[in-house]
Amino acid sequence: MFKIINMDIHALYKLYQENPVISTDTRTIPEGSIFFALRGEKFNANTFAAQALATGASYVVVDEANYVVDDRCILVDDVLSTLQQLANFHRQQLTIPVIGVTGTNGKTTTKELLYAVLSQKFKTYATKGNLNNHIGVPLTLLAIQDDVEVAIIEMGANHLGEIGFLCSIAEPTCGLITNVGKAHLEGFGSFEGVKKTKGELYDFLKRTDGLLFLQGDNEHLTEMEKQRGINHVVRYGFSSANDIIGKLETANPLLTISWRTHKEGEAALSIVKTNLTGSYNTENILAAVAVGLHFGLTKEEVNVGLESYTPTNNRSQITKTANNVVIADYYNANASSMAAALDNIAVIEASKKAIILGDMFEMGEESFVEHQKVIAKAQSIGVDRLIFVGKAFYEQREVADEFYQTTEEAIEAILRNPVSGCTILLKASRGMAFEKLMEVL
């Protein structure tokens, strides 16, 4: 799969051990790091090789010979492939549990919850931010130091085969899929394409006799698991058939959940008051319970970890402004996450509610129909103010009062007619830049 010119992987790994910091951005070159000169459609970091060395890098890895300036330059066939190979070689030296996390929605929140729980007992390393693609996963692996006891690797995908490829690099010993839904349909082609690609994690766990944490009440996930017949499965969910049984107690707007193991009765219920909003996060919390218990944490340690987690990065994040309470959930959006967010705002108790929704990107040929479904669902809730923003929503502007083509137009409308005293759901794909709306809410 990978090929290195002028230096075999063992020699490169030795240099990495002596300089165990990897950089791909010349704006932040740590002293003594190895700089990998990646290329993209609009950039070629080979051109910055000399600058990286001058700024403090010990070595640079390049794939264009004319940018080799001295013997600190390592010439390879392909820089990205070399980065991936080095990461996999490092992974093979690790003897720790590696947890792979993927899914259409909730994977970053779940990863953070797992980290919060497992950190109560273990030196844990988890993917930073959303470095979950063919570059981010290798960078995550290469950041794992010798003292780490458990690693959590988030894996994202927007086209067929990507999760299988990331598994071949990260080689997870166990893992979970949060859910499967309609997202990135341009790349996957269909919902079945989504299931096939996410299911590549199940394929890897089956092939390596790994452990699966399964949301046992999700019909798509259980069907996917049955097709493969994975030997080691820990089930979590809401019904009594699961190993971990949970229940959403309140969501107004922060979640309080209860949980117990299958072997315990109602008297053994644990009550956890979280800093999360969104009823859809209940199963993500239960996933963290299942993982924590499997790795030997006490119920008390699990609960402390769950209650310590506070969401950031505009994922299910509650912000109190001078005039409103805003549920900021505009890091990403797709058909399934939109539906879940709308279900959540519907059950929240508030004297006044408003919903402001922005376009869902990468929906392919299903874009019109899926935006139409979102409009109908939002209208069925019956809130005090309902605003749709973006070109895809604007195509259907005849069915409601407030449709705006851009976020800037929505801002102007809210300045003319302010939203006040409301609990507001703010949901859109990242490209809509909905953080700008916070200034007028």
Side-chain angles (χ1 to χ4, degrees), residues 66-200:
N66 54 316
Y67 293 106
V68 174
V69 295
D70 57 34
D71 59 5
R72 294 175 296 170
C73 295
I74 302 167
L75 178 64
V76 301
D77 198 22
D78 181 271
V79 170
L80 175 57
S81 181
T82 301
L83 177 69
Q84 293 164 342
Q85 183 185 20
L86 181 65
N88 179 247
F89 190 85
H90 179 55
R91 164 66 188 96
Q92 291 177 9
Q93 314 313 306
L94 302 174
T95 58
I96 61 175
V98 175
I99 307 168
V101 179
T102 191
T104 301
N105 307 309
K107 54 185 173 292
T108 299
T109 298
T110 300
K111 175 255 301 182
E112 297 290 347
L113 286 166
L114 296 184
Y115 178 82
V117 169
L118 292 174
S119 293
Q120 301 301 312
K121 183 173 182 177
F122 301 104
K123 174 71 174 178
T124 307
Y125 190 86
T127 300
K128 303 297 183 185
N130 67 328
L131 291 173
N132 61 18
N133 64 4
H134 61 295
I135 297 173
V137 168
L139 291 176
T140 298
L141 290 166
L142 289 166
I144 299 174
Q145 299 177 351
D146 291 342
D147 60 344
V148 171
E149 297 173 295
V150 181
I152 307 163
I153 309 296
E154 180 181 335
M155 297 184 290
N158 57 20
H159 60 266
L160 293 168
E162 193 166 7
I163 294 301
F165 179 68
L166 296 178
C167 283
S168 74
I169 298 172
E171 299 187 22
T173 58
C174 54
L176 65 91
I177 301 175
T178 55
N179 50 52
V180 286
K182 293 183 177 180
H184 303 296
L185 295 181
E186 287 180 350
F188 291 126
S190 66
F191 179 51
E192 288 304 313
V194 175
K195 290 168 63 177
K196 184 177 187 299
T197 299
K198 299 299 183 183
E200 290 163 3

Side-chain angles (χ1 to χ4, degrees), residues 1-7 9 12 35-40 43-44 46 60-65 74-87 134-135 138 165 169:
M1 184 183 301
F2 307 106
K3 181 182 179 183
I4 291 180
I5 297 176
N6 294 343
M7 179 173 288
I9 190 62
L12 182 59
F35 176 73
F36 279 75
L38 297 173
R39 286 182 292 167
F43 66 91
N44 181 0
N46 281 275
V60 298
V61 181
V62 297
D63 50 19
E64 295 183 25
I74 302 167
L75 178 64
V76 301
D77 198 22
D78 181 271
V79 170
L80 175 57
S81 181
T82 301
L83 177 69
Q84 293 164 342
Q85 183 185 20
L86 181 65
H134 61 295
I135 297 173
F165 179 68
I169 298 172

